[in-house]
Amino acid sequence: MRTAAPRAATPRRYLMCPPTHFKVTYSINPWMDPAKPVDLPLALTQWEDLRDRYRALGHTVEELEPRPELPDMVFAANGATVVEGRVLGARFAHSQRAAEAAVHREWFQAHGFAEVREPEHINEGEGDFAVTDTWLLAGRGFRSSPLSHPEAQEFFGRPVIGLDLINPRYYHLDTALCVLDAAADEIMYYPGAFSPGSQAVLERLFPDALIADEEDAAALGLNAVSDGRHVVLPQAAVGLYEPLRDRGFEPIGMDLGELLKGGGSVKCCTQELR
């Protein structure tokens, strides 16, 4: 039974990259298995469904040109973090994705973003940075360097809260935590992905957060995107639907099963241009 009034959606602008050259030929996270073939036409159809859903919800979607030598470019969230028009680029942990960083920086420079910073320290964009109006939540432990946190704080002038990830299946923050309402500092997350100290920090900062269980987290249900009302998430995370509705959100399930073979889902495919 719904206990909250419907929320108000805010139009967003997203950057996405079609999976034209997507494949899994190496393994840099526990989800990737080169022995499992990718159905590329299906991956493209699933991606197009996500892009079209955003547009149907009133959002703007920009598209980044894919490169054949960079099969993971579909996971566009990793390419940068954008706050108030300022762009902190990425520096990837693995050589297989390293060249993506320059492609993203070039796109921003060509599209009118005046402040585009090439970082000194490893960060993988919105994979490990989650933005609320008060905080910049920052993951570390598997990909992004702790040194990227003060770098981001200095660049954005926003307090950074470091969070330690301890479960390799949740190797990026965006696999374990989702911002539901940035203005209200409202999130959902899976405690089991975080160290005890980071769990305590999240409990203190977000006492009313929606807590996901292991089953929904394992379906990458937290790799979701919210516009303040609609929460677009993997369709298999069925246990999150009713709790979201109880809070006034409208969950929208999407099938991105082919892209999950690369370790990503809705949020991984979606970089927000704030």
Side-chain angles (χ1 to χ4, degrees):
M1 182 177 184
R2 182 171 294 178
T3 58
R7 307 286 185 122
T10 303
R12 308 296 171 105
R13 184 182 177 200
Y14 299 131
L15 179 63
M16 301 179 68
C17 182
T20 308
H21 308 292
F22 176 63
K23 54 187 175 181
V24 178
T25 58
Y26 50 79
S27 180
I28 57 174
N29 68 58
W31 301 84
M32 300 177 79
D33 182 355
K36 295 181 179 179
V38 170
D39 184 332
L40 187 56
L42 179 56
L44 186 57
T45 296
Q46 292 174 346
W47 181 89
E48 290 173 342
D49 286 346
L50 177 62
R51 178 201 60 193
D52 294 347
R53 178 58 61 97
Y54 286 144
R55 289 174 172 166
L57 292 171
H59 306 310
T60 300
V61 178
E62 309 281 358
E63 292 190 30
L64 186 64
E65 185 71 23
R67 304 287 181 91
E69 72 277 15
L70 297 171
D72 282 337
M73 273 186 64
V74 63
F75 302 125
N78 301 145
T81 304
V82 185
V83 181
E84 297 178 343
R86 309 185 77 201
V87 182
L88 178 63
R91 183 178 293 273
F92 286 85
H94 293 287
S95 61
Q96 292 93 334
R97 300 195 65 184
E100 293 180 39
V103 177
H104 279 260
R105 290 197 307 272
E106 290 165 6
W107 187 91
F108 284 105
Q109 291 162 348
H111 287 79
F113 290 81
E115 293 186 79
V116 181
R117 179 186 177 101
E118 181 178 359
E120 295 182 19
H121 304 291
I122 292 172
N123 85 75
E124 297 200 341
E126 288 192 326
D128 275 327
F129 287 132
V131 182
T132 79
D133 282 10
T134 302
W135 314 107
L136 187 63
L137 305 177
R140 62 192 176 210
F142 295 102
R143 297 287 186 89
S144 297
S145 166
L147 296 175
S148 70
H149 298 183
E151 184 176 21
Q153 181 167 282
E154 285 299 310
F155 183 67
F156 291 124
R158 187 174 297 224
V160 171
I161 305 298
L163 300 168
D164 290 305
L165 298 163
I166 60 170
N167 185 325
R169 287 187 70 79
Y170 307 102
Y171 59 95
H172 271 153
L173 184 65
D174 71 356
T175 65
L177 181 148
C178 171
V179 176
L180 294 172
D181 186 337
D185 289 337
E186 188 172 358
I187 68 170
M188 61 178 177
Y189 69 97
Y190 171 53
F194 298 94
S195 69
S198 294
Q199 290 182 41
V201 168
L202 289 168
E203 289 170 6
R204 182 180 292 270
L205 293 179
F206 305 101
D208 297 322
L210 193 164
I211 304 300
D213 64 22
E214 183 176 4
E215 185 175 0
D216 291 317
L220 275 195
L222 295 161
N223 196 243
V225 171
S226 174
D227 63 12
R229 177 179 178 178
H230 309 100
V231 180
V232 185
L233 75 168
Q235 66 178 18
V238 294
L240 291 173
Y241 289 18
E242 201 57 37
L244 285 167
R245 292 189 185 103
D246 288 344
R247 291 167 180 252
F249 295 102
E250 183 180 332
I252 299 173
M254 303 296 298
D255 180 6
L256 292 179
E258 287 305 299
L259 296 173
L260 186 61
K261 293 176 181 177
S265 191
V266 175
K267 176 56 190 171
C268 286
C269 294
T270 313
Q271 183 183 142
E272 184 168 351
L273 308 178
R274 299 177 185 82

